[in-house]
Amino acid sequence: MSASAPTILVVGGVAGGASAAARARRMNEHARIIIFERDSYVSFANCGLPYYLGGEITDRDALLIAKPSLFKRRFDIEVRTRHEVTAIDRAARTVTVRDLDADATYQMPWDKLILAPGADPLEPPIPGVDAAGVFTLRNLEDTDRIAEAMPGAQRAVVVGGGYVGLETAEQFRRRGLDVSLVEMQPQVLPMLDREMAEPIHRQLEYNGIRLELGNGITGIESTAGQVTAVDLADGTRLPADLVLLGIGVRPNVALAEAAGIELGASRGVATDEFMRTNDPDIYAVGDAAEYTFGSTGTKTRVPLAGPANRTGRLAGEHAATGSSRPAPAAWGTSIVRVFGTTVGSTGLSLKAAREAGFEATAVHVIANDHAGYYPGAQAMALKLVFEEGSGKVLGVQACGGNGVDKRLDVAATLTHFGGTVHDLAQLDLAYAPPFGSAKDVLHMAAFAAENHLDGLAPVLQPDVDLCPYQVVDVRSAAEVEALPLAECDKIINIPLDDLRDRLDELDPARPTIVACRSGLRSYVGTRLLKQHGFAEVYNLSGATAMREFALNRRLPASRATTPTGVPVPDAIMID
Ligand code: FAD
């Protein structure tokens, strides 16, 4: 071989590996490129598997994005399925490969080695986990096994409230199964702050899914080897014919580690800006690798398809040519649909931002995805997390119906460029009534953040302890009666439109919090009090609606939320 015609071996042939191999070929027509894949398929759509199980995707073949024959014909890339790479000899520049069907082992030399072995689903070390009917979902083989088990099943237990668990629970329900979802944490989707996950809890329950939050599984019962029930920490026994374990993934790093490739603090393969490991001829991408994370700049794993595909492409180019653009930071931008509700985030939650050491705060906005007067508007709750002082945007979470994806993608674009809330406030976004509002929900959030930073209307978080404050609820008396401000028995109720005339009922010297239903009227009230000499006034961000969610009060849907589980926006949006 010559430097211009290297042998490039790729371990793992799905998201990262397939992208790497294809880009390597497009950049170097003379390289020898081989993909080793221990399973039977390469380049399949992992992300589509739940939808195939539920019948939204009906054509199994559609999940196979590029078959070995296409790799060979179009790219002259050799794909060896059912071939597992079992060892790397860095000194000899070879890998050991096991042909799983022939039960034979051989060595293959390489000049560049790209590791894209992904991650395996975690299985809890509990009794009964090996029973028939207990599954994990990672690949097509898993999917086929689950699909085969579904017709004979009536009751399914999904363990884990991450996106794989949620998507699969939704799809099981779609197939008519009785579904329970068990999550050890008090909320699903741990990348979200508590209140932003609550609409999903509601949506699951409206759709007949039994939700067991804050309850881990302790064992799996079976009869004659077939699962019959799942036992939970609080003693509950959930009958089950089918169990899906979706409790997270473990990066496949054993191969790399055994070869002296360094791991990072998150136990992913440590990489540089070109996805090279500590051996400059060995790259690592995808779920097994570490990325630089957005605003923190720390190295961590981000097990998502986007970063895997994009870094695969870069590593393929670098391996084939010796250079490429550096890999950008990952922000963990993700989105999931749960029945009629869409939720997602980019960057850090408030909880994560503070844990990372940022002096961070957040504002909440509840608004329509497009002008409320145009038919079909759907409510959205959006939380903007930013740094005090600089206003740098650290993360955005959004939950609602239509248009959540658009807001997250705008936010991801802004954060990629290191944008601040001031940048966000000035973005010139597309607008016509069917698509958005002249002041988009993102603008509204940015305005609220600027008002906080400018001291015009400082916010406190919806779960704040209200007791030390003079609390003024500016909703109507009827609203207050229907939905009192949670955990506050000393509120002073003065409807916003009466506030100016009833200031003498308040003590301007006391630290004051103004609340309403969504945070909008309370913002107006905050401004009013401030301009009447009140020394210290705060707006309760997200107000009663978000406080209910943040404090985990499980009110019936009809009380205050739209069909997506998101609070009803105020009719008049003024900033
Ligand atoms: P993978 O795509 O998992 O590929 C790794 C491959 O390497 C595997 O096929 C494995 O068999 C093979 N392999 C491992 N070790 C060896 C070895 N020693 N020799 C040979 N082959 C080996 N992400 C999103 O962003 N959005 C989504 O909606 C989404 N939905 C998902 C739904 C499901 C059900 C699943 C399972 C994942 C989903 N993901 C989603 C995550 C996304 O699929 C992964 O982040 C992405 O596939 C990771 O790419 P990868 O190349 O690192 O690993």
Side-chain angles (χ1 to χ4, degrees):
M1 99 73 224
S2 70
S4 59
T7 295
I8 302 173
L9 302 187
V10 182
V11 182
V14 192
S19 299
R23 181 67 174 174
R25 169 58 72 228
R26 289 194 293 271
M27 300 307 293
N28 188 337
E29 183 59 16
H30 309 291
R32 182 178 188 203
I33 305 171
I34 306 175
I35 297 175
F36 295 100
E37 170 54 58
R38 68 179 177 196
D39 289 344
S40 304
Y41 303 95
V42 287
S43 195
F44 63 87
N46 334 41
C47 309
L49 301 179
Y51 303 101
Y52 173 70
L53 282 175
E56 281 191 61
I57 296 172
T58 49
D59 180 6
R60 185 181 180 283
D61 230 33
L63 297 169
L64 298 168
I65 297 163
K67 296 180 182 166
S69 54
L70 178 87
F71 275 107
K72 184 67 198 158
R73 205 172 55 248
R74 185 163 301 167
F75 296 110
D76 191 24
I77 293 171
E78 195 183 331
V79 175
R80 299 188 187 176
T81 53
R82 304 273 304 148
H83 282 64
E84 181 173 11
V85 175
T86 55
I88 302 167
D89 186 333
R90 286 169 55 199
R93 291 307 203 230
T94 60
V95 290
T96 305
V97 184
R98 178 140 204 93
D99 178 340
L100 299 173
D101 291 330
D103 199 15
T105 296
Y106 60 94
Q107 312 289 317
M108 269 301 296
W110 49 268
D111 301 301
K112 302 284 178 181
L113 182 62
I114 301 176
L115 303 178
D120 282 341
L122 287 168
E123 288 190 14
I126 53 167
V129 75
D130 297 330
V134 179
F135 301 99
T136 54
L137 178 59
R138 186 184 66 82
N139 57 22
L140 265 168
E141 286 92 335
D142 298 334
T143 310
D144 291 340
R145 282 190 285 270
I146 298 169
E148 199 182 329
M150 268 198 304
Q154 286 183 345
R155 299 154 307 179
V157 174
V158 175
V159 185
Y163 60 82
V164 172
L166 290 173
E167 287 172 353
T168 313
E170 181 203 53
Q171 296 297 318
F172 282 164
R173 194 78 193 102
R174 194 182 143 86
R175 286 290 196 191
L177 296 181
D178 249 339
V179 182
S180 303
L181 184 89
V182 181
E183 167 57 57
M184 201 158 68
Q185 302 298 321
Q187 67 172 78
V188 298
L189 297 172
M191 70 291 250
L192 301 177
D193 289 313
R194 172 70 187 77
E195 73 277 17
M196 297 303 289
E198 178 58 22
I200 299 300
H201 301 158
R202 290 168 174 241
Q203 191 60 271
L204 290 165
E205 288 180 338
Y206 306 155
N207 284 279
I209 291 185
R210 174 177 174 153
L211 196 52
E212 290 286 346
L213 295 175
N215 211 353
I217 61 166
T218 51
I220 293 176
E221 305 294 325
S222 56
T223 301
Q226 173 67 40
V227 64
T228 54
V230 170
D231 294 322
L232 305 186
D234 72 349
T236 304
R237 177 164 288 184
L238 297 171
D241 311 307
L242 193 161
V243 175
L244 190 278
L245 300 172
I247 60 170
V249 293
R250 181 193 321 102
N252 286 325
V253 293
L255 181 68
E257 202 175 12
I261 302 291
E262 284 169 13
L263 304 187
S266 73
R267 301 290 296 162
V269 177
T271 54
D272 70 5
E273 71 269 41
F274 301 113
M275 304 310 291
R276 288 179 301 197
T277 66
N278 57 307
D279 185 325
D281 292 323
I282 301 180
Y283 300 78
V285 299
D287 287 3
E290 284 194 336
Y291 302 104
T292 303
F293 190 82
S295 45
T296 60
T298 51
K299 289 283 192 172
T300 190
R301 291 185 297 113
V302 182
L304 289 168
N309 276 275
R310 290 191 300 274
T311 54
R313 184 173 180 273
L314 289 174
E317 177 168 339
H318 203 279
T321 66
S323 69
S324 74
R325 295 198 174 82
W331 290 82
T333 310
S334 61
I335 189 163
V336 59
R337 185 202 69 196
V338 183
F339 301 100
T341 305
T342 305
V343 66
S345 69
T346 185
L348 298 171
S349 65
L350 181 58
K351 188 176 51 185
R354 287 178 172 169
E355 278 168 14
F358 286 101
E359 197 194 330
T361 192
V363 291
H364 302 74
V365 169
I366 299 163
N368 284 313
D369 71 305
H370 65 239
Y373 59 80
Y374 184 85
Q378 293 186 339
M380 180 184 308
L382 189 135
K383 181 171 184 177
L384 171 62
V385 181
F386 56 98
E387 191 177 39
E388 294 278 15
S390 73
K392 186 171 179 186
V393 175
L394 301 173
V396 168
Q397 300 157 64
C399 184
N402 293 334
V404 166
D405 56 341
K406 175 164 96 172
R407 274 61 185 207
L408 290 174
D409 285 345
V410 170
T413 308
L414 183 96
T415 51
H416 175 87
F417 291 107
T420 65
V421 299
H422 313 297
D423 297 317
L424 185 59
Q426 290 167 12
L427 286 185
D428 190 12
L429 301 176
Y431 161 63
F435 305 104
S437 298
K439 281 178 285 196
D440 189 78
V441 54
L442 281 167
H443 291 132
M444 298 297 290
F447 296 154
E450 286 189 316
N451 287 336
H452 169 84
L453 292 171
D454 294 344
L456 292 172
V459 293
L460 291 174
Q461 293 309 300
D463 60 353
V464 66
D465 177 8
L466 296 174
C467 294
Y469 297 91
Q470 169 172 252
V471 182
V472 185
D473 191 331
V474 296
R475 294 176 296 163
S476 69
E479 283 178 282
V480 174
E481 194 188 352
L483 187 61
L485 192 54
E487 295 181 15
C488 183
D489 51 5
K490 292 184 300 190
I491 64 157
I492 302 163
N493 178 210
I494 306 177
L496 179 62
D497 294 344
D498 301 340
L499 187 59
R500 202 170 273 111
D501 300 329
R502 293 175 55 185
L503 291 174
D504 54 351
E505 295 174 35
L506 303 174
D507 178 355
R510 282 193 65 195
T512 300
I513 293 183
V514 189
C516 62
R517 204 183 49 72
S518 71
L520 192 60
R521 276 173 287 171
S522 52
Y523 156 59
V524 180
T526 303
R527 290 298 306 139
L528 194 154
L529 295 184
K530 273 188 157 291
Q531 293 181 77
H532 279 276
F534 282 62
E536 193 181 337
V537 192
Y538 302 95
N539 184 10
L540 185 65
S541 188
T544 318
M546 283 298 161
R547 186 165 175 83
E548 294 297 326
F549 288 178
L551 297 181
N552 195 14
R553 294 205 339 162
R554 312 303 304 284
L555 291 177
S558 55
R559 293 287 285 276
T561 59
T562 61
T564 55
V566 171
V568 183
D570 265 336
I572 306 167
M573 301 292 290
I574 9 171
D575 61 290

